[in-house]
Amino acid sequence: MSAIYIAGIALCSVLAQWLAWAFRVPAILFLLLTGLLLGPFSGVLDPDALLGDLLFPVVSLSVAVILFEGALTLHFRELKGISKVVRNLCSIGMLVTCIVISFSAYWLLELNWRVAAVLGAVLVVTGPTVIAPLLNSMRPTQDIDRILRWEGIVIDPIGALFAVLVFEAVMLVGQGEVFSHTIIALFKTLGVGLSIGVISGWITTQLIHREWLPFELHKFGILALVLISFSISNHLSHESGLLAVTVFGIWLANQDDLEIDSVLEFKEDLSMILISTLFILLAARLELSDLMMLDSDVFIFLAIVLFIARPLCIAISTFGTDLPVKSRLVLAWIAPRGIVAAAVGSVFALSMIEAGVADAQKMVPLIFTVIIITVVLQSLTAIPLAKLLGVRQPSPNTILIIGANHVSRAIARGLKEQNIPVHLSDPAWENCKMARMDGLPCYYGNPQSEHAERYLPLTTIRSVLALSPNRHHNALGVQYFSHLLNDKNVFSLRSSSSHAKANKDSATFLSRQILFGENGSYAKLSSVIAKGGKVSATRISDEFSWQQYLEMNPEAIPLFILKGDKDGDDDAPVKLRPFTSEMEKLPQEGERIVALQPAKVSLIKDPNNNKGKETDSSAI
């Protein structure tokens, strides 16, 4: 019977994630609703009866993996590049939020001071899993988007680490020990957690560098090390394991010569599984009696969280900066709590209940109430607020190119020259390095990954061009972005005829292989560029029609039609239409043709040149 329940949870997790994908909302909403329906509202699922004594170990180990995955994204070098506002939000702003929420819970809700302190520490974490989908639909201006996105990324591990330290401190005091003994015990916990984390990181680094662990065992091996590090640390010093795995992840993230991209990708997949399952289990553990015991003071508490704690945090964090008032107002409203707060808070609550701390059973219902209110309310009001304050970006106009190979780079340079914003993506570091040397922004990794959701400027992307020679990469990109952006804005190069049978596996991918027409294969483009071909732009006019262009440039491969002056202002961005095999509207007067010209082309007369001089159409 237990097997049926576990399989059912897995199925419900997938359905909840699918619904979130279909409605383009944070997955946490449907996961929470699923857990509440299975647990307190229907009584179908009882996690305590299902897992018994294994419940706490399963939840603890799952949280350890989630925190480790989050810590893998915290690079110290990137902290130097983020704004002063983000640094303030993740330091003094975090402390202000914790203090306001903790004192409110203590005085207003009359919670035990230890529970109030831990509750305040847990609720400082927002997290990218709830921030990213909200920002993608909201499309705020760049300063707001950058601050909120980076706050979610950085405060995820830092806030979790802060919550762990607060929890350890209050639990030691709760044992009734004298002050000096408590301080010694706290330093012991910190010492054990830091030491185990650093030692685990160093051992993992040596295993990979010295190739003592084969590549195919990197993912499983590091997962095993995370779990054993967590367990040993907790055995040596109670509740130090979360600190150990967080330090472990931060250590690996900051080893510049360590190749762990496959590990990070694996941990993202594993975290999705754990987050989905864990959130349903935690929500199902809630009792209707627990929810009913939250009296009317909870609404006042929520008002303090929304209208005092966050605005005060933003006011202090942005003090002395030149951030516009409208941007500060939006930042003061957007701070949804997510899975890390729920997972870490649930682990702490279980430990405090076992230790007999008064009011510990109230912490999880309060955390889930804050999560529900912040996610739902802020998701519904974010777009109207951005419109009202005039801080929503205009229609996206950036072109995302999947692939940073020499073909992609040549096309990207041509578009950039014509004032078209471009962003490349490639899982090969050498290609990304070459793109960045050309002054082209490039994301290193797979653009459809969770990591890309944090780092790619998705709110500015209008169209996606899949130009990778790897058909698999193109197919994944087309499938992902067709849903995100609408399939009319996603295009791919045509695959070779040898893949015709495989192409039938995906109707979406097959239907979008229309880029650059019949002659637009990667092999053809690569050959022309390798022989010195250049991307050029030519304007169509009364004196120089589209038909004349074709007659004078028979070997050219048309790529795009541009409408608008490349020297125009930002309020009138250049509009781009790719040449496709389904194109019906031909280039019109005043539009520009961007094409790939062979190396040797005849000089054509520029009808727009008053002096009647001839120009080389292959040069931009």
Side-chain angles (χ1 to χ4, degrees):
M1 196 67 180
S2 297
I4 295 178
Y5 276 106
I6 295 173
I9 292 172
L11 178 61
C12 290
S13 300
V14 173
L15 290 175
Q17 290 280 0
W18 179 81
L19 286 171
W21 171 82
F23 288 97
R24 303 181 186 181
V25 297
I28 195 172
L29 289 175
F30 285 103
L31 292 171
L32 177 60
L33 180 62
T34 302
L36 292 175
L37 290 176
L38 294 177
F41 292 125
S42 68
V44 173
L45 177 62
D46 183 357
D48 294 272
L50 177 64
L51 298 176
D53 294 337
L54 289 176
L55 177 63
F56 182 72
V58 167
V59 173
S60 298
L61 291 172
S62 299
V63 172
V65 174
I66 292 169
L67 289 186
F68 174 76
E69 190 270 331
L72 283 176
T73 65
L74 184 58
H75 301 272
F76 290 140
R77 65 178 180 274
E78 293 176 346
L79 293 179
K80 299 177 182 178
I82 63 178
S83 67
K84 176 184 176 182
V85 175
V86 177
R87 289 195 295 272
N88 290 342
L89 284 172
C90 299
S91 52
I92 57 175
M94 181 178 70
L95 293 175
V96 168
T97 302
C98 176
I99 291 171
V100 172
I101 294 177
S102 296
F103 276 93
S104 300
Y106 176 68
W107 277 318
L108 184 64
L109 303 180
E110 299 181 347
L111 294 182
N112 179 282
W113 72 269
R114 287 178 286 273
V115 175
V118 173
L119 179 66
V122 167
L123 290 178
V124 303
V125 180
T126 55
T129 55
V130 286
I131 285 289
L134 190 151
L135 291 177
N136 291 341
S137 60
M138 181 184 176
R139 290 206 329 268
T141 52
Q142 187 175 5
D143 55 352
I144 299 174
D145 183 90
R146 187 169 184 264
I147 289 171
L148 287 176
R149 207 174 285 271
W150 270 104
E151 180 195 10
I153 293 170
V154 177
I155 207 171
D156 198 1
I158 289 180
L161 179 57
F162 172 71
V164 170
L165 296 179
V166 171
F167 170 75
E168 291 169 353
V170 301
M171 288 301 290
L172 288 172
V173 174
Q175 295 174 4
E177 299 168 337
V178 295
F179 179 75
S180 60
H181 194 180
T182 299
I183 294 297
I184 294 173
L186 177 59
F187 274 98
K188 175 189 174 184
T189 301
L190 293 176
V192 170
L194 290 170
S195 299
I196 295 296
V198 171
I199 292 172
S200 300
W202 182 83
I203 290 175
T204 303
T205 303
Q206 297 302 311
L207 288 174
I208 295 177
H209 277 167
R210 299 178 184 273
E211 299 182 356
W212 289 340
L213 191 67
F215 180 78
E216 59 269 20
L217 288 180
H218 282 186
K219 301 172 185 178
F220 182 48
I222 292 180
L223 174 62
L225 285 171
V226 169
L227 299 180
I228 197 65
S229 299
F230 173 80
S231 302
I232 291 175
S233 185
N234 271 350
H235 178 73
L236 295 177
S237 182
H238 189 58
E239 299 299 346
S240 64
L242 295 179
L243 173 61
V245 297
T246 303
V247 174
F248 185 5
I250 293 173
W251 174 282
L252 294 184
N254 290 278
Q255 303 301 308
D256 294 333
D257 56 345
L258 194 65
E259 181 60 47
I260 58 170
D261 293 312
S262 61
V263 174
L264 181 58
E265 185 176 346
F266 169 66
K267 290 296 184 293
E268 286 181 353
D269 295 337
L270 183 60
S271 290
M272 176 179 288
I273 296 171
L274 293 176
I275 286 172
S276 302
T277 305
L278 191 61
F279 210 76
I280 289 177
L281 286 173
L282 295 177
R285 286 192 75 250
L286 293 174
E287 300 287 346
L288 286 177
S289 57
D290 293 337
L291 297 174
M292 296 301 295
M293 73 180 177
L294 302 177
D295 55 27
S296 58
D297 288 339
V298 171
F299 295 103
I300 302 176
F301 173 73
L302 289 171
I304 292 174
V305 172
L306 291 169
F307 301 111
I308 296 180
R310 180 63 176 183
L312 184 59
C313 167
I314 294 299
I316 293 175
S317 300
T318 60
F319 180 77
T321 66
D322 57 356
L323 195 67
V325 174
K326 291 182 178 180
S327 298
R328 299 187 194 201
L329 291 174
V330 174
L331 293 175
W333 176 240
I334 305 297
R337 273 59 172 188
I339 185 61
V340 173
V344 175
S346 297
V347 171
F348 293 163
L350 288 171
S351 295
M352 297 175 88
I353 290 172
E354 288 184 355
V357 178
D359 296 328
Q361 73 278 5
K362 295 181 180 180
M363 189 162 69
V364 172
L366 282 170
I367 291 173
F368 274 81
T369 302
V370 172
I371 290 173
I372 294 171
I373 295 300
T374 55
V375 172
V376 173
L377 192 58
Q378 293 171 11
S379 295
L380 292 175
T381 59
I383 295 176
L385 179 63
K387 289 181 178 179
L388 178 65
L389 295 176
V391 294
R392 199 172 192 220
Q393 290 186 25
S395 298
N397 63 342
T398 299
I399 306 300
L400 174 64
I401 298 178
I402 297 177
N405 49 76
H406 71 291
V407 172
S408 301
R409 296 195 301 271
I411 292 175
R413 287 193 299 269
L415 291 176
K416 183 180 178 182
E417 183 70 20
Q418 300 305 312
N419 207 32
I420 300 290
V422 292
H423 204 109
L424 286 74
S425 171
D426 202 295
W429 171 244
E430 190 64 28
N431 286 340
C432 281
K433 183 175 70 173
M434 296 295 292
R436 292 173 183 176
M437 289 174 64
D438 287 344
L440 302 169
C442 185
Y443 169 74
Y444 172 45
N446 293 318
Q448 64 274 5
S449 67
E450 181 183 341
H451 186 266
E453 193 173 77
R454 302 175 184 180
Y455 289 89
L456 266 177
L458 295 180
T459 58
T460 68
I461 293 174
R462 175 182 178 272
S463 299
V464 175
L465 309 178
L467 304 182
S468 172
N470 187 316
R471 176 189 167 275
H472 178 66
H473 291 165
N474 289 341
L476 289 176
V478 167
Q479 293 278 53
Y480 178 77
F481 287 102
S482 290
H483 168 75
L484 196 64
L485 302 178
N486 188 314
D487 58 1
K488 293 182 179 180
N489 295 319
V490 180
F491 307 90
S492 175
L493 291 174
R494 188 180 303 276
S495 297
S496 64
S497 57
S498 61
H499 292 121
K501 183 177 181 180
N503 289 346
K504 296 179 182 179
D505 294 340
S506 171
T508 301
F509 182 43
L510 182 60
S511 67
R512 304 319 298 158
Q513 293 184 67
I514 56 177
L515 199 55
F516 309 148
E518 297 295 332
N519 295 324
S521 68
Y522 181 86
K524 176 66 174 178
L525 296 172
S526 178
S527 175
V528 174
I529 293 173
K531 295 176 181 178
K534 301 292 182 180
V535 177
S536 69
T538 306
R539 188 180 297 276
I540 301 299
S541 64
D542 280 338
E543 295 82 9
F544 192 65
S545 67
W546 168 239
Q547 189 60 38
Q548 289 175 302
Y549 176 88
L550 292 178
E551 292 174 357
M552 294 188 175
N553 299 274
E555 301 297 323
I557 302 176
L559 304 176
F560 307 100
I561 301 174
L562 304 183
K563 183 177 182 179
D565 190 348
K566 71 175 183 177
D567 297 320
D569 56 34
D570 293 335
D571 294 330
V574 178
K575 295 182 180 180
L576 174 146
R577 284 190 293 139
F579 269 89
T580 69
S581 56
E582 298 178 354
M583 179 171 288
E584 297 179 357
K585 187 178 179 181
L586 296 177
Q588 304 296 310
E589 178 185 345
E591 296 180 332
R592 283 168 288 144
I593 307 300
V594 175
L596 177 59
Q597 297 278 6
K600 295 181 180 180
V601 294
S602 59
L603 295 179
I604 62 173
K605 182 173 292 186
D606 185 351
N608 300 312
N609 190 321
N610 295 329
K611 297 181 180 180
K613 294 183 178 179
E614 295 183 333
T615 58
D616 186 349
S617 65
S618 68
I620 293 179

